[in-house]
Amino acid sequence: MAVSPHLAVFRALLAAHFQSSWNRSARELGRQGVLVMGLLVGLLGLLGAGPLLLGMGGLGWLMGSNLDKPLTPTLLGSLLAFIGIGGGLFGGVLGGARQLNWEAYRGYPLKLRTLYFAELVAGIADPLPLILGVGLAGFLAGVAVGAPAVIPLLPFVMLETLGTLLALQLLVGGLAAALVKRLRLALTLLAILVWVGSTLATSQLSRRPIARATTSHRVEQQAQVEALGRRSAQVLSVLPSHGSALSLVRAREGRWGTALALHAFPLALLALLMVLGARLVA
């Protein structure tokens, strides 16, 4: 069967990348060391993948079975945003950058599009995208069991969430080294300040006498929590993941036109991230 030239170049880039990674590891660890490390990583992956798939699958089944509940789209969209946007930001800040040797490929007549897509696929081998990708697959499988009617839309949700993770990771990781270092330093300082502030706040609270909460105070606190929940839901509704989650609800209701239209924003944002990332890492 004939293979497309673009697909052949794409496969050759990935094969060259993994072969160079193997050669580098063999020089540093030796072939036996690489085999032992591969066996350990594979064993740990098998031991961890099972509970992760079952846990996320159970959560997906629970949400899929309750898509008709008002709170489910918000929770589902929040989880997808955590995986896609949160995972991409953390992966980029923590070192997820270019995997391919772009400088070595500049002498070849390769298109930027081919290099970029090969870069995205190579980024799946990073630990964070791999773990989140396995969890996302288990979660969507659980949703499919809980709501079989939405199965045709689950590939779109997988593409949007995992694609956003990889594209955003590459975009953030492709920023200037000085900016990334400053961002890491800022996050470290922020974590220290949060820890110190929480410690001081806890110590101050422990010294204060415990006042007996009245009924009016409890009602006021409940109203504040509900108001905070409504504001959080409004913020989350702006994210593209909310549209992906809401499309599943509309599909279960039989409104397929609206369900498909809700994927326009997530796909457009994914395309924008990919264009920006390709221009940045080129």
Side-chain angles (χ1 to χ4, degrees):
M1 184 175 63
V3 180
S4 171
H6 298 289
L7 182 59
V9 172
F10 182 79
R11 291 167 53 183
L13 282 173
L14 289 179
H17 166 66
F18 289 116
Q19 185 62 45
S20 63
S21 300
W22 170 268
N23 294 337
R24 184 169 57 253
S25 301
R27 286 196 304 268
E28 295 175 356
L29 302 175
R31 292 190 175 275
Q32 293 183 350
V34 172
L35 292 176
V36 172
M37 182 63 68
L39 289 175
L40 289 176
V41 171
L43 181 60
L44 291 176
L46 289 176
L47 293 176
L52 180 61
L53 284 172
L54 290 176
M56 293 298 291
L59 181 60
W61 172 81
L62 182 63
M63 288 193 178
S65 302
N66 295 276
L67 283 177
D68 54 339
K69 301 297 174 48
L71 192 59
T72 301
T74 302
L75 296 176
L76 181 56
S78 302
L79 180 61
L80 295 177
F82 172 77
I83 295 176
I85 300 177
L89 289 174
F90 277 104
V93 171
L94 295 177
R98 295 187 301 181
Q99 302 291 329
L100 301 181
N101 189 4
W102 286 54
E103 289 74 16
Y105 298 138
R106 292 187 186 276
Y108 298 94
L110 298 174
K111 293 184 178 181
L112 176 62
R113 179 181 59 188
T114 304
L115 276 172
Y116 182 77
F117 280 112
E119 184 71 67
L120 284 182
V121 175
I124 300 178
D126 283 348
L128 184 61
L130 188 60
I131 293 172
L132 292 178
V134 172
L136 178 63
F139 176 76
L140 294 181
V143 172
V145 174
V150 305
I151 290 178
L153 291 180
L154 294 182
F156 289 97
V157 179
M158 184 73 177
L159 172 65
E160 292 159 2
T161 307
L162 189 59
T164 299
L165 189 158
L166 296 174
L168 191 57
Q169 173 181 266
L170 189 57
L171 179 62
V172 175
L175 295 175
L179 180 60
V180 173
K181 290 180 180 179
R182 292 175 184 175
L183 186 57
R184 289 177 182 171
L185 179 61
L187 288 176
T188 303
L189 293 176
L190 179 62
I192 294 174
L193 290 176
V194 169
W195 176 74
V196 172
S198 62
T199 303
L200 292 176
T202 304
S203 62
Q204 292 295 328
L205 288 175
S206 62
R207 296 176 182 176
R208 295 180 181 178
I210 300 176
R212 183 170 297 180
T214 61
T215 304
S216 61
H217 288 164
R218 286 196 295 268
V219 172
E220 182 180 357
Q221 291 176 355
Q222 183 178 359
Q224 292 177 353
V225 171
E226 292 177 354
L228 179 61
R230 288 193 296 269
R231 287 195 294 267
S232 301
Q234 292 175 356
V235 173
L236 292 172
S237 64
V238 181
L239 298 177
S241 57
H242 181 75
S244 301
L246 196 58
S247 71
L248 302 182
V249 179
R250 297 294 176 261
R252 191 173 186 181
E253 296 172 353
R255 301 163 60 183
W256 285 96
T258 305
L260 291 174
L262 286 170
H263 287 278
F265 179 41
L267 290 175
L269 179 62
L270 175 59
L272 178 61
L273 290 175
M274 294 174 69
V275 170
L276 293 176
R279 297 299 180 186
L280 183 62
V281 301

